Amino acid sequence: MRSMPEDRTTRALIRDEALALFAAHGPDSVTVRRIATAAGVSPGLVVHHFGSKDGLRQEVDQYVVAVFEAMLGELTGGDGGVEAFDSGAGAASLSAAFTRHLPAGSPLPGYLRRLLLSDTDAGRLLFARLYEVSRAALDGLTAAGLAAPGRDPAVRAALLLANDLAVFLLRDRIGEVLGTDPLSADGMARWAPEVLDIYAGGLNASPPRGS
């Protein structure tokens, strides 16, 4: 009989392999047997831990939301969300901030894309949380004299968030036209300065001299 720590380790391994497969192929295209093979366990053990593939998918959703919640808490702790858009820290946007906090090759950006476009409670919860951060960041930047709230601050915050999430949702297409993965270190080094220039001065903004 397995001890509780081993059960937790096995459960996490199955969840992580499912996350990677779901991100790459979509949950509907991945079978329990394929997940079990990737995790090096039997299909019966997957069912033992999660009850069904739907149960496993729900746990993956909850895990991804928890990971991004933790990152958001780290990024926005104590300053109302301004750090997530702190040019001094090299984070022109949430996408840049997330990229700094995720390991290379992480399946989380791919799964985030699927989750946000899904009609699930987890997808709605995560988007609502991201919007809260975008709104808090705009309010903080406005209070600091670094941004204007616009005629409708709620719409402006939603627009900034939609623009930022487009990097995740259109990652492959953007990479094709730029020749660089926009969420890679090199891609973000190109992306972040343009975002900062546009946010700071609009589309008429010119890059600083010497840059």
Side-chain angles (χ1 to χ4, degrees), residues 100 111 183 201:
R100 291 191 295 115
Y111 197 82
L183 293 181

Side-chain angles (χ1 to χ4, degrees), residues 21-22 25-31 34 53:
L21 289 169
F22 289 168
H25 306 288
D28 293 340
S29 300
V30 178
T31 64
R34 187 172 183 181
K53 192 178 84 170

Side-chain angles (χ1 to χ4, degrees), residues 1-208:
M1 181 176 179
R2 287 182 174 83
S3 67
M4 186 61 71
E6 288 175 339
D7 277 346
R8 289 196 185 110
T9 300
T10 301
R11 187 182 184 92
L13 174 63
I14 295 170
R15 180 204 64 211
D16 291 347
E17 293 297 338
L19 166 59
L21 289 169
F22 289 168
H25 306 288
D28 293 340
S29 300
V30 178
T31 64
V32 169
R33 183 172 297 278
R34 187 172 183 181
I35 295 167
T37 299
V41 301
S42 69
L45 190 58
V46 175
V47 174
H48 167 73
H49 279 291
F50 301 98
S52 65
K53 192 178 84 170
D54 285 343
L56 174 54
R57 180 178 179 177
Q58 289 175 13
E59 181 141 338
V60 170
D61 285 353
Q62 293 167 4
Y63 171 71
V64 171
V65 170
V67 169
F68 279 99
E69 280 279 7
M71 283 193 291
L72 289 170
E74 183 178 344
L75 291 169
T76 63
D79 61 7
V82 176
E83 185 183 343
F85 295 86
D86 180 6
S87 60
S93 58
L94 285 172
S95 57
F98 285 157
T99 299
R100 291 191 295 115
H101 284 70
L102 290 173
S106 170
L108 284 169
Y111 197 82
L112 174 66
R113 173 172 56 189
R114 294 186 182 278
L115 187 58
L116 288 174
L117 294 177
S118 68
D119 185 23
T120 62
D121 289 341
R124 285 186 284 271
L125 174 64
L126 182 56
F127 185 83
R129 180 71 178 96
L130 291 170
Y131 175 75
E132 289 175 3
V133 172
S134 182
R135 183 64 189 268
L138 179 60
D139 291 345
L141 292 170
T142 299
L146 300 174
R151 286 174 290 186
D152 191 331
V155 170
R156 181 163 293 203
L159 175 63
L160 291 172
L161 178 59
N163 180 70
D164 201 26
L165 290 179
V167 182
F168 289 99
L169 302 180
L170 298 173
R171 179 182 185 178
D172 295 339
R173 303 291 82 80
I174 293 172
E176 289 168 1
V177 297
L178 295 182
T180 306
D181 178 0
L183 293 181
S184 68
D186 290 342
M188 198 51 64
R190 294 178 62 187
W191 190 268
E194 291 298 328
V195 173
L196 282 172
D197 287 346
I198 292 172
Y199 282 177
L203 290 175
N204 290 324
S206 299

